[in-house]
Amino acid sequence: MSIDDLKSHIDDILDVLSEDSEKGVSREELEREFKKFLEYGVPVEQAKQTLIKKFGGAGAVSASAERKLLVDVKPNESNVNLLCRVITINPKEITVKGEKRNIFYGILGDESGTAPFTAWKDFEIAKGDVIEVSNAYSREWRDSVQINFGDRVKIKKTEEDRLQDVSYEPKEVKVRDLKAGLGAVDITARIIDINERETVVDGKTKKVFSGTIGDETGKAQFTSWHDFNLKEGDVVRITGGYIKSWKGIPQLSFDDKAVVKKLDGSKISRDEIKTSKIPLHLLVEKRGALDVEIEGTVIEIHDGSGIITRCPECNRSVVDKECKTHGKLSKVKTDLRVKLVVDDGSGSVNCIIGKDVAERILGKTLDECKRMVEKTKDDKVLVDLINKTFFARRLRVDGNALGDSFGTTVIAKNAELVDVDIKEEAERLSHSLEELR
């Protein structure tokens, strides 16, 4: 837009305000806000009308009715009014004060960007709907602003052409940056593995492609709702994906609206993709992650460690041969498990170590553990061995981290005890303390 055009539009706004408004606003402030709207792709006339209303011009409504761009919404705001598109929406069952409740979560988008949202009941909105929202409120969630649709909110579906289809700039990210709620991401990664399956969407059978991607910062799961002819080993740039979450693990999703470009395979080699080591405070903040390495001191051994029994149908752990899914069981299978808490000084997570890894670290097979218990007729002998082996020891664990209402839990694919040089560790801590003075 030329300077003259800009001046003309600002003059138009000032003319209306001079007649109808007692609010004082400078040309500079109007220019600044007008340019901001244009930068986000808001049509000129819509931007002018919004500013006229904002500063008390004819037809203006109360401040609480002014539309906000998503980028301008701050945490803990009320009376938030939006014009936005539903980019994703998913149902979720939660428990509130002991009662099951169905809510919905997803991502909203407008000219300025995207934001995650939670709808505390079914507002009968769907992916792709353009909606006018009145009386929403915002909260801060994992360092992001989250829009909430509560009891007071009013939502009205409106014409699609009131909002451009893809009018926000994708954000370039690495795999380690992925977290639930991000929308319009631009990511370059290698396809580590990919699987094809069929699902039914709106009564029609549809092919869905899912698997694992990776870059030098980590690995993540993905789902493609369109056939981009992706193959294992492809290095691709995906523009326009969005991030969902399964048990706290971020998952990249994209569909036919995304732009997928295959790149030279040397851009990200297989050797560059490694298990990422992550401090526990970051893992707790992310809630979950795929294929991570953690290290810390075992500060607690949970009940439920030792020899357990499982349902042969669903593999759930059972007590007194009673499975929550399959009821009373005639047979169970025995297993060995260690549940513990690891702390690295910055945070702590739960870890579950299965039979194969537990046998190796304990130096005893499941059968040998059974004989120990049968010989003494006391489970305590095995619990003592587990405590003696793990408690207060440094442990390195590789696996997937899952997040739920009980916190973050790493399901160990591998684990090993780490010898610590006490003198060297003391010197390291002393040096760190000196730096803090």
Side-chain angles (χ1 to χ4, degrees), residues 95-258:
T95 302
V96 179
K97 296 180 179 179
E99 294 185 1
K100 299 288 185 184
R101 186 170 178 181
N102 293 317
I103 65 171
F104 297 81
Y105 70 98
I107 299 171
L108 302 173
D110 68 7
E111 305 93 329
S112 68
T114 61
F117 78 94
T118 295
W120 293 93
K121 64 180 183 180
D122 187 359
F123 290 95
E124 299 183 345
I125 55 177
K127 177 181 176 181
D129 285 347
V130 175
I131 55 176
E132 285 184 323
V133 180
S134 303
N135 285 328
Y137 64 94
S138 64
R139 293 287 184 267
E140 187 170 7
W141 176 248
R142 298 179 203 158
D143 296 329
S144 298
V145 174
Q146 182 187 67
I147 308 298
N148 284 265
F149 299 161
D151 292 334
R152 295 180 59 244
V153 76
K154 292 182 178 178
I155 296 178
K156 176 186 174 185
K157 294 181 187 178
T158 187
E159 297 82 12
E160 290 228 351
D161 56 6
R162 290 190 60 193
L163 201 63
Q164 297 176 31
D165 194 14
V166 180
S167 51
Y168 43 86
E169 288 294 324
K171 180 182 179 182
E172 189 170 348
V173 295
K174 294 289 187 182
V175 168
R176 69 182 170 205
D177 302 321
L178 301 181
K179 59 182 179 179
L182 276 181
V185 299
D186 181 349
I187 188 168
T188 298
R190 174 181 281 269
I191 307 290
I192 299 173
D193 57 67
I194 184 168
N195 299 289
E196 178 184 332
R197 60 186 169 87
E198 290 187 343
T199 188
V200 177
V201 179
D202 296 331
K204 296 180 180 178
T205 301
K206 186 179 179 65
K207 285 185 179 179
V208 180
F209 304 84
S210 58
T212 309
I213 58 171
D215 66 10
E216 70 277 13
T217 67
K219 301 174 186 175
Q221 296 170 328
F222 76 92
T223 297
S224 173
W225 294 87
H226 179 74
D227 186 1
F228 290 100
N229 194 30
L230 298 176
K231 307 292 183 187
E232 182 178 324
D234 284 346
V235 174
V236 292
R237 180 178 179 182
I238 302 165
T239 306
Y242 49 90
I243 311 304
K244 300 167 65 177
S245 173
W246 179 81
K247 293 190 175 182
I249 298 179
Q251 294 182 325
L252 172 68
S253 291
F254 50 99
D255 53 25
D256 57 346
K257 293 180 180 177

